[in-house]
């Protein structure tokens, strides 16, 4: 299954890359929530290429399939995660596919064709980037950690002020913070050990489904706010980090 998904993502990635280097028709789903024709077209390619899974799996996809159809198994698709980056020409954008049985992550594929980085993972088989095994960070103190995070589009409409208070607390107690603009890739960079931790509020299931499997298979502890593994994809919070620093980071976020 993983190789078929990877093949589908590589095919759709060609269209994302073409769009990255082309003029785009940009529409607004919200004050700063952008969408282009490429988001819709890449999703259409993926749904077509993955149609072999439709008898057993629901498809949940950002642009055309937001609701579940009732099957326990589901494929979560973000055709372009990091759309703002894609529109502005910042090369941190990707396709994300996550395969789940209920809340159990079975497989994840995240592909950034602009930087030619293919991340894959299957439950119990480890996580890989371009064939190289990934190992999460082993840091134990937050002050030694580089942390990634992001912000919901609603922040431009006055929502999430507490998120800025949390940001200040994390900034004062860690080595630094990066806001790179793609949850799926932030999770993959936590899997690489580049980020020692990544947290974010108010994401959608398709943003995190693929990257959460990859981060977990690389050795990150991936939880929701209660600190238990395998967070609910519909919970509006995720933290993936080195296991040794997870509790301290969660404490900073929850304080
Ligand atoms: C994005 C996430 C990012 C978050 C943005 C947005 P999109 O997803 O990947 O982490 O900070 O607000 O939700 O909209 O590019 O698919």
């Amino acid at each position: 299954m993983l190789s078929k998904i990877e093949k589908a993502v590589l095919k759709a990635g060609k269209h994302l890359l073409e769009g990255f280097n082309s003029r785009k028709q940009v529409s607004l789903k919200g004050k700063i929530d952008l969408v282009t024709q490429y988001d819709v077209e890449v999703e259409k390619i993926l749904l077509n290429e993955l149609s072999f899974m439709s008898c057993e799996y629901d498809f949940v996809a950002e642009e055309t399939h937001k609701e579940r159809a009732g099957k326990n198994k589901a494929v979560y698709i973000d055709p372009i995660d990091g759309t703002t980056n894609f529109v502005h020409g910042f090369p941190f954008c990707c396709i994300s596919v996550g395969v789940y049985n209920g809340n159990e992550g079975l497989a994840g594929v995240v592909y950034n064709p602009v930087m030619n980085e293919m991340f894959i993972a299957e439950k119990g088989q480890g996580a890989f980037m371009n064939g190289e095994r990934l190992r999460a960070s082993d840091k134990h103190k937050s002050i030694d950690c580089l942390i990634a995070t992001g912000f919901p589009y609603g922040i431009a409409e006055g929502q999430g002020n507490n998120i800025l208070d949390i940001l200040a607390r994390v900034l004062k107690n860690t080595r630094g913070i990066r806001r790179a603009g793609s949850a799926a890739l932030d999770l993959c960079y936590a899997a690489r050990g580049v980020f020692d931790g990544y947290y974010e509020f108010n994401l959608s299931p398709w943003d995190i489904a693929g990257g959460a499997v990859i981060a977990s298979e690389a050795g990150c502890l991936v939880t929701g706010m209660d600190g238990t593994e395998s967070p609910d994809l519909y919970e509006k919070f995720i933290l993936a980090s080195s296991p040794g620093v997870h509790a301290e980071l969660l404490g900073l976020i929850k304080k």
Side-chain angles (χ1 to χ4, degrees):
M1 173 180 68
L2 195 62
S3 59
K4 285 183 178 177
I5 296 172
E6 197 178 339
K7 192 169 166 231
V9 166
L10 280 167
K11 180 172 181 178
K14 288 189 173 71
H15 195 55
L16 188 157
L17 186 59
E18 177 196 310
F20 186 81
N21 296 312
S22 308
R23 287 180 64 79
K24 304 157 184 67
Q25 298 150 19
V26 181
S27 307
L28 290 179
K29 294 193 282 190
K31 195 173 179 182
I32 58 169
D33 187 355
L34 311 181
V35 63
T36 72
Q37 76 272 32
Y38 290 99
D39 294 83
V40 177
E41 291 164 1
V42 168
E43 185 167 297
K44 195 171 172 188
I45 295 168
L46 288 164
L47 290 169
N48 184 50
E49 294 297 315
L50 298 175
S51 58
F52 70 92
M53 302 179 76
S54 60
C55 51
E56 199 179 348
Y57 292 84
D58 277 346
F59 282 111
V60 181
E62 179 169 10
E63 305 309 335
T64 59
H65 288 62
K66 288 191 191 296
E67 301 307 323
R68 295 293 301 267
K71 296 188 183 81
N72 200 45
K73 292 183 175 181
V75 180
Y76 295 87
I77 296 170
D78 193 337
I80 302 181
D81 189 56
T83 298
T84 302
N85 292 344
F86 175 77
V87 168
H88 284 262
F90 185 70
F92 211 70
C93 46
C94 65
I95 291 170
S96 175
V97 176
V99 181
Y100 281 68
N101 181 6
N103 218 42
E104 181 189 17
L106 303 178
V109 177
V110 173
Y111 177 48
N112 179 351
V114 183
M115 294 172 69
N116 191 29
E117 292 181 344
M118 172 65 85
F119 299 87
I120 62 167
E122 202 161 5
K123 186 171 176 63
Q125 305 298 317
F128 300 84
M129 181 186 92
N130 296 349
E132 182 188 332
R133 182 97 189 216
L134 298 177
R135 299 274 182 223
S137 160
D138 62 359
K139 296 281 175 62
H140 285 78
K141 289 191 291 182
S142 65
I143 198 63
D144 297 333
C145 291
L146 182 63
I147 302 298
T149 192
F151 313 111
Y153 292 124
I155 209 133
E157 284 143 2
Q159 297 166 23
N161 290 331
N162 64 315
I163 289 174
L164 298 177
D165 297 336
I166 293 167
L167 179 69
R169 209 159 45 235
V170 173
L171 188 57
K172 290 171 186 171
N173 290 279
T174 59
R175 183 172 285 175
I177 287 182
R178 298 293 180 267
R179 194 283 197 263
S182 163
L185 288 172
D186 287 334
L187 285 161
C188 289
Y189 274 55
R192 288 183 70 181
V194 170
F195 295 140
D196 303 296
Y198 161 71
Y199 75 93
E200 190 161 349
F201 291 88
N202 295 356
L203 290 166
S204 298
W206 43 79
D207 293 320
I208 59 174
V213 180
I214 292 162
S216 176
E217 283 297 315
C220 289
L221 179 52
V222 186
T223 78
M225 194 56 92
D226 68 358
T228 56
E229 284 196 82
S230 303
D232 177 353
L233 293 177
Y234 289 80
E235 180 186 343
K236 291 297 184 183
F237 174 75
I238 189 167
L239 170 61
S241 76
S242 155
V245 79
H246 197 88
E248 187 183 358
L249 289 176
L250 200 54
L252 286 173
I253 292 164
K254 292 173 81 166
K255 200 180 277 181

